[in-house]
Amino acid sequence: METLDKLTKRKDSSVEVPTSSKETAQKSTRKRGIEVPSARKLVLRDVGYPFRVKGDPKPMGLEVDSLELFADYAREQWMGTFVQEGTYLFDRYIMPDYAFQVQEVEPEQSVVSKSTKIILQSPTGSTSDVKTRSVNLEDVIGHEQVKQKCKIILEYLRQPSRFGEWAPRAVLFHGLPGTGKTMTAQAVANEADARIFLAKASDLIGVHVGDGGRRISALFDDARKHSPSIIFIDELDAIGLARSFQSIRGDVSEVVTALLGELDQTSEESGVVVIGATNALPLIDPAIKNRFDTVFEFSLPTVEERYDILRLYTERLPLKLEADLKEIARRTEGLSGRDLRDRILKESLHTAITDGASTITSEIVHRVLDKIQPKNRPTYTI
Ligand SMILES: Nc1ncnc2c1ncn2[C@@H]1O[C@H](COP(=O)(O)OP(=O)(O)OP(=O)(O)O)[C@@H](O)[C@H]1O
Ligand SMILES: [Mg+2]
């Protein structure tokens, strides 16, 4: 509802150009009969298009060469528009309907005028999807070796010059779904005082020939510009597909070539580390696999680790859980961390809520456990 309200502002805005629009440095204008001051400062964030055709990749953000020119362009087209925090403003000329959102405006409710200072927040091109879910390496249960290596990466990012030619360059996380690969990469991101560029491989493949290669180059360019930085490529198998599989997807070969070139270049310069993740190692092109220093296997949790994972997430449940976690851990061999959270704890919580129970009783948990069939897991998924 709120969003709808914000979106409709767009219509309002185009008609509310002050009558004396040539004298736009004026101090205020009228909105529904009320005096509205002109904005002194306006901070915008680029958001993207309101929708795209299913399957089309997400735009990777904007490349702005001159912030001053952008500010001029923005002022010109949104002159007279009423703005407040959260308002969406849509581009009309270069990329019609591309949206920007107001992050900050002074005074709180005002109108864009000739004297408004317009600032675009972090116009860093393909910094797509920088997430800051607050997990850190301590939240990752098990995977000690990986965490050790991640600490070295963190150390390197803090002091790249210390490592010289011995710098960690690229590591590959491989393992069954739900074993914590993405979570670990996010933890590294949160702990590193470095920029992280999170990219899903499927978003890097373009619609048109040449798009994919360009997107990869743009991603690495950005990372180099902002080094020290980490590039995390999730679901790497989507682009790192072995050549023998490439007849299925002809377009990936161009992407593979671009990725190889970029990976080679990162070896000669400091400050950029690549982390790739996949659950389909056999599908990955050997040439790409070779560019990674180490492949880490994310295995399923042991009984002790299952206990620790259950304990970690039980603390966050909104209802008290009255069951023996050790017993649950014993009965859940073969389940991943994600399974324990979603198929056991979440399912038990939902059952308790449906039953109208005030706690998650042992009986409820047993009912959920009885339903769990040991899964026939594929060795890898495509
Ligand atoms: N070792 C672990 N310690 C703590 N939580 C875990 C662990 N493994 C998985 N989880 C939980 O499961 C969730 C899913 O894990 P994650 O998304 O990292 O798996 P993944 O290995 O990237 O899976 P996929 O291959 O499907 O992408 C995590 O967000 C976390 O809540
Ligand atoms: Mg993942």
Side-chain angles (χ1 to χ4, degrees):
M1 200 46 221
E2 203 194 331
T3 317
L4 202 61
D5 185 39
K6 277 172 196 157
L7 285 170
T8 52
K9 289 272 153 39
R10 184 187 175 206
K11 264 198 199 133
D12 289 2
S13 62
S14 57
V15 294
E16 294 208 49
V17 177
T19 38
S20 51
S21 63
K22 290 297 157 207
E23 293 160 46
T24 33
Q26 67 193 35
K27 291 282 172 296
S28 62
T29 187
R30 291 178 76 81
K31 184 178 193 290
R32 294 196 188 98
I34 307 161
E35 287 290 313
V36 184
S38 84
R40 276 190 305 277
K41 178 180 161 195
L42 177 67
V43 181
L44 299 174
R45 177 175 69 96
D46 90 271
V47 182
Y49 291 107
F51 55 81
R52 62 193 154 113
V53 174
K54 232 186 204 163
D56 271 5
K58 257 204 316 237
M60 291 180 67
L62 298 180
E63 189 79 54
V64 179
D65 295 320
S66 159
L67 285 172
E68 200 187 338
L69 193 57
F70 173 82
D72 249 22
Y73 169 79
R75 229 176 346 254
E76 181 77 28
Q77 69 166 322
W78 294 316
M79 188 95 74
T81 305
F82 173 75
V83 282
Q84 59 186 349
E85 194 185 315
T87 305
Y88 289 104
L89 296 170
F90 293 85
D91 185 36
R92 296 188 201 129
Y93 307 110
I94 302 177
M95 298 203 287
D97 295 321
Y98 194 93
F100 295 81
Q101 193 179 31
V102 175
Q103 299 297 292
E104 205 186 308
V105 58
E106 285 172 19
E108 259 172 43
Q109 299 195 324
S110 44
V111 165
V112 180
S113 81
K114 204 172 177 181
S115 55
T116 304
K117 184 172 183 222
I118 298 186
I119 297 164
L120 181 62
Q121 239 175 32
S122 55
T124 51
S126 59
T127 324
S128 63
D129 268 348
V130 175
K131 291 177 204 140
T132 42
R133 231 195 283 153
S134 53
V135 293
N136 52 38
L137 283 175
E138 271 172 26
D139 295 322
V140 180
I141 311 278
H143 307 311
E144 295 306 326
Q145 261 196 337
V146 187
K147 285 193 281 185
Q148 214 51 41
K149 182 78 177 188
C150 289
K151 284 187 185 142
I152 294 178
I153 293 177
L154 291 178
E155 199 52 46
Y156 164 68
L157 293 170
R158 282 185 200 122
Q159 271 187 296
S161 56
R162 236 182 97 184
F163 286 79
E165 64 179 304
W166 309 105
R169 287 192 296 114
V171 292
L172 190 56
F173 292 173
H174 163 239
L176 289 168
T179 47
K181 298 181 295 296
T182 302
M183 178 192 187
T184 307
Q186 258 160 358
V188 175
N190 290 342
E191 289 197 19
D193 253 349
R195 286 293 280 271
I196 173 126
F197 295 79
L198 299 179
K200 250 208 188 119
S202 47
D203 284 339
L204 290 172
I205 302 175
V207 186
H208 307 289
V209 175
D211 277 1
R214 260 199 302 278
R215 277 167 187 250
I216 288 198
S217 306
L219 178 67
F220 277 77
D221 273 353
D222 273 351
R224 279 184 214 120
K225 245 187 259 168
H226 294 96
S227 78
S229 57
I230 299 175
I231 298 178
F232 176 66
I233 307 179
D234 210 351
E235 298 166 15
L236 186 70
D237 37 290
I239 45 172
L241 210 56
R243 297 212 170 95
S244 48
F245 291 91
Q246 281 178 20
S247 52
I248 319 169
R249 302 259 345 227
D251 55 341
V252 291
S253 73
E254 148 221 332
V255 184
V256 171
T257 312
L259 183 61
L260 285 175
E262 299 293 348
L263 282 174
D264 277 347
Q265 276 190 47
T266 56
S267 63
E268 275 132 45
E269 66 204 7
S270 58
V272 179
V273 177
V274 180
I275 302 179
T278 178
N279 48 40
L281 197 60
L283 295 188
I284 297 216
D285 192 302
I288 290 190
K289 221 185 307 174
N290 282 339
R291 299 304 203 280
F292 288 87
D293 305 335
T294 326
V295 178
F296 286 108
E297 182 70 37
F298 278 65
S299 44
L300 289 169
T302 62
V303 63
E304 290 85 15
E305 287 162 2
R306 291 199 295 277
Y307 173 69
D308 287 343
I309 293 173
L310 288 164
R311 236 183 17 182
L312 179 76
Y313 293 111
T314 303
E315 278 170 20
R316 300 197 203 162
L317 284 170
L319 290 185
K320 194 163 183 293
L321 182 108
E322 293 170 331
D324 180 1
L325 294 186
K326 287 213 162 111
E327 192 207 340
I328 307 178
R330 275 196 301 275
R331 287 190 55 185
T332 46
E333 164 128 42
L335 295 196
S336 67
R338 182 190 286 142
D339 290 336
L340 292 172
R341 199 194 59 187
D342 293 351
R343 293 175 65 197
I344 308 289
L345 295 180
K346 197 199 269 185
E347 187 60 29
S348 300
L349 170 71
H350 290 184
T351 311
I353 291 172
T354 325
D355 287 4
S358 57
T359 58
I360 306 168
T361 61
S362 180
E363 183 271 327
I364 290 174
V365 177
H366 277 104
R367 246 194 289 158
V368 170
L369 282 173
D370 288 342
K371 275 194 285 182
I372 298 278
Q373 303 291 330
K375 265 202 290 192
N376 268 340
R377 290 174 173 283
T379 23
Y380 51 80
T381 51
I382 304 180

